[in-house]
Amino acid sequence: MAQHQFQTEVNQLLHLIIHSLYSNREIFLRELVSNASDALDRLKYLTVADDAYKSISFDPRIDISFNKDQKILTVADNGIGMNEQDLVDSLGTIARSGTRAFMEKLGADAKKDSNLIGQFGVGFYSAFMVADKIEVCSRRAGEEAAWKWQADMGAASEGKESYSIESAARENQGTTVTLHLTEEGLEYANRWSIEDIIKRYSNHVAFPIYLTYEEKEWDDKGKEKGSKTKTDRINSGTALWRRPRAEISEDDYREFYKNLGGQFGQDSEDPLFHVHTRAEGTIEYITLFYVPKKAPFDMYHADYKSGVKLYVKRIFITDDDKELLPTWLRFVRGVIDSEDLPLNVSREILQQNKILLNIRNASVKKLLAEFTSLADTAVSGGDEAKEKWETFISQYNRPLKEGLYQDFANREAIGELVRFKSTAVEGRTGFAGYVSRMKSDQKYIYYITGGDEKTLRSSPLLEAYRARDIEVLVMDDEIDDIVIPSLGRYRKPGADGADAGTEKKTDEASFEFRAVNRAGADEELGEKQNKAAEKDAKPVIEKIKKALGDRVKDVRLSRRLHDSPSCIVADENEPTLQMAQMLRAMGQTEMPDIKPILEINGEHPITAKVRDAEDEETIADIAGILLDQALLVEGIKLKDPAGFVKRLNRLLAK
């Protein structure tokens, strides 16, 4: 027996693996199965490519067994196997490199380099999370001798930091890893735990995985009469996403979607559509994404579950990493399978991995291209295409708006997808549709925001636009008040380039957004204020301003009102009252009160009453009613509803 000294402090090494690299213990089985799968892959290749191995009888498989009484769990394969030197090199890799040096490599910026992770040594040593003693019996293909590697971490804790290698007996090529489980590791020495782990992490490993267990037998009276040994295959062995698209039927795609499972559960409905991509070149990966017909129930929960599973060469890594796709695409379900990623063991490392970042960026662009195609087909296609698009936009319009706000790199593409209600058309319309209907001399895209469509459509603020047949986008989603101001302008696709022969950029196809509930919006309506009307209204404005005091920021004569006596608008440099309400609801309770600007209709009969009134109480009541009703029409909750009722009653009594 050859005794080998570890060149590092084993306890430090185990502490690093258990506490720094792995987030849960059960993935030890994933790592061991992955190692076995790699060994089978290597031998499978050699039996085809190398004459020295072509005569080897090879029926690839992985076998798992356990004995709870003896506290043993075994993972065996008939792959390439290892000889004595291989055992030293493979199982001593981390130890011989020095724990301190390895930890230094993982420290600082180098810790983000996931190429250091997923090597055989690290994956193998994860088994010490559940075992205090491990034996590896292996025989390399084409060789007669077999060898046994053994390390006892119980002995290491006593200062005997070493492992041994001795000759052994094995009938054929391959490797058997025997774990002597700790008390904590015993929870995995049962059929149900093993099956669950394999189906979650290694179900799509290309080779069959078999589990051998004892099944109890019962007599007709329900008493145990003995047991028999059974061996069942516990993985499917097929990864649908890796098959050529031409070989996959629509039924296959639908069935796979319904069985995706994972933390986000199953969907009994067919998906709305899917996107299957295979990328080859510098980075190789496969993605299969689905868009559900109905939005996930937790789409607006802060703790929503990610809908995308990450695989590396069919080996499941995680389904709980929200960095696989941006937040605004959290409704997407599916898989990402990379050929280039190592078997990462840390979510933090995954989030910093450049390969994964490239896959993420490419996946976003592919999904956006599919969404755009869906929108284009809805215009040129039949009823089915239109219905599919309407279903998509009704379920996911809001997340798309979030993307418009969050994803600057893809803002133009997302801007072509988002939809809004309008004063000019039925249903929803996009920015491009609005621009196509604009008047020849119109410079701005007008919109109104608030919390209720019916309230917005009846707003006095729209009267002047309606009279001039100018379309206004009706934005009744609370997020619109944040998203649209952040855009600034809408630029037609392709309008970003410079004019031919010049360095000057053209703005002919660029349109600024204008909120009709902002103070300066009426100046762009092309109607100049009548000087006589201004002079006539000045005493009325002064009376109302004095009566309202600090309830308003200002009182002005309106150029946008036709039928209504009053309306409120926000200062151009301040949030609207609706936005202020939303921000307070989000927890910004210390936000100062926003005072509205009151605009009055100088030609309205109520205004004439104020002009003629001398009684200060009557003027105060009318002024208060003009403000309160303007607030109510915009859906703003009154701070003093009792005061409003009293003023109204006094005026009715008069």
Side-chain angles (χ1 to χ4, degrees), residues 263-551:
Q263 291 195 3
F264 46 90
Q266 294 175 318
D267 191 344
S268 59
E269 283 195 86
D270 292 336
L272 190 61
F273 58 89
H274 66 267
V275 186
H276 193 178
T277 304
R278 179 186 293 270
E280 297 177 339
T282 307
I283 300 176
E284 294 187 17
Y285 63 90
I286 301 170
T287 60
L288 175 54
F289 296 128
Y290 291 91
V291 173
K293 278 186 179 177
K294 292 183 179 179
F297 73 92
D298 63 347
M299 188 165 71
Y300 298 114
H301 295 184
D303 59 346
Y304 73 91
K305 299 298 182 183
S306 169
V308 178
K309 296 183 175 184
L310 176 65
Y311 289 81
V312 174
K313 298 176 182 178
R314 301 192 191 193
I315 303 298
F316 174 73
I317 302 300
T318 181
D319 60 0
D320 192 29
D321 193 333
K322 296 179 181 179
E323 298 297 320
L324 298 177
L325 287 178
T327 306
W328 65 271
L329 282 172
R330 59 189 176 276
F331 56 87
V332 174
R333 273 60 181 117
V335 299
I336 296 174
D337 191 351
S338 169
E339 288 292 319
D340 303 295
L341 281 170
L343 285 173
N344 290 315
V345 289
S346 166
R347 184 181 303 171
E348 290 72 26
I349 291 175
L350 273 176
Q351 292 173 0
Q352 301 297 327
N353 188 279
K354 292 181 179 179
I355 294 174
L356 194 60
L357 180 62
N358 289 334
I359 294 174
R360 167 183 158 133
N361 292 339
S363 296
V364 171
K365 293 188 181 300
K366 186 67 179 177
L367 285 166
L368 279 172
E370 190 68 22
F371 300 162
T372 302
S373 175
L374 191 68
D376 294 342
T377 306
V379 175
S380 58
D383 292 340
E384 185 177 345
K386 292 177 182 177
E387 183 180 351
K388 181 181 285 190
W389 168 252
E390 285 300 322
T391 300
F392 173 78
I393 209 66
S394 67
Q395 296 295 310
Y396 307 116
N397 198 34
R398 176 159 178 166
L400 289 177
K401 291 177 185 177
E402 294 177 22
L404 203 59
Y405 181 74
Q406 299 168 358
D407 195 340
F408 185 82
N410 296 295
R411 177 174 285 182
E412 182 176 298
I414 302 171
E416 296 302 313
L417 296 171
V418 292
R419 295 293 185 264
F420 304 93
K421 294 162 187 174
S422 166
T423 59
V425 295
E426 293 287 334
R428 295 181 176 89
T429 186
F431 296 138
Y434 180 100
V435 168
S436 70
R437 295 185 294 272
M438 285 173 60
K439 293 181 175 296
S440 58
D441 59 345
Q442 187 176 334
K443 297 180 181 180
Y444 305 104
I445 297 175
Y446 294 103
Y447 69 94
I448 183 170
T449 59
D452 177 73
E453 180 186 357
K454 185 177 180 181
T455 299
L456 292 177
R457 289 189 182 278
S458 60
S459 172
L461 297 168
L462 298 180
E463 291 176 2
Y465 299 91
R466 193 176 290 117
R468 291 165 177 76
D469 196 28
I470 295 176
E471 181 176 359
V472 178
L473 295 177
V474 179
M475 301 186 178
D476 58 345
D477 192 336
E478 60 185 16
I479 195 175
D480 296 328
D481 233 339
I482 298 175
V483 170
I484 304 304
S486 73
L487 297 181
R489 309 182 74 90
Y490 166 70
R491 193 180 298 275
K492 280 185 178 180
D496 288 322
D499 292 326
T502 73
E503 294 182 358
K504 183 181 178 181
K505 287 191 174 182
T506 176
D507 280 332
E508 291 181 0
S510 176
F511 303 93
E512 192 174 341
F513 292 99
R514 280 287 187 267
V516 302
N517 52 347
R518 290 288 180 180
D522 60 345
E523 297 174 3
E524 297 136 12
L525 291 175
E527 181 179 293
K528 293 184 178 180
Q529 194 69 277
N530 186 292
K531 296 294 183 181
E534 284 186 357
K535 184 177 180 181
D536 190 44
K538 188 174 181 180
V540 178
I541 291 174
E542 289 178 352
K543 287 181 179 181
I544 295 175
K545 189 181 294 188
K546 180 181 178 182
L548 293 176
D550 61 1
R551 290 188 64 193

